[in-house]
Amino acid sequence: MGRRSMMSDQLKEEIAKELGFYDTVQKEGWGGIKARDAGNMVKRAIEMAEQNMQKGGRP
C-alpha cells in the first residue's frame, strides 16, 4: 500500500514555490528536497490550515 498524501500536489507545489525550492522539485522530484525544506513545507501547510480554520473554513 502506498502512502496517501494529506496535501494535494497543487498545494505542495504552491508552498514549494513560496519557499523557493520548486526548481529542485522540478529537476529532482520530491525526493530531491532537503529535510529542512520538507519540514518547512509541513510547517507552512499547518499555518495555512490554522488560518483557514480561524476564518471558519475547512482545512
Side-chain angles (χ1 to χ4, degrees), residues 22-46:
Y22 185 65
D23 56 332
T24 303
V25 173
Q26 287 183 305
K27 291 176 194 166
E28 303 175 34
W30 290 105
I33 67 172
K34 297 175 185 161
R36 178 182 294 176
D37 289 335
N40 287 337
M41 192 168 86
V42 170
K43 187 174 165 184
R44 181 66 183 120
I46 291 168

Side-chain angles (χ1 to χ4, degrees), residues 3-17 22 25 30 41:
R3 287 189 325 202
R4 193 171 82 74
S5 176
M6 296 296 289
M7 288 191 277
S8 70
D9 288 341
Q10 182 179 354
L11 178 60
K12 288 191 292 191
E13 290 173 7
E14 180 184 321
I15 294 171
K17 288 174 186 174
Y22 185 65
V25 173
W30 290 105
M41 192 168 86

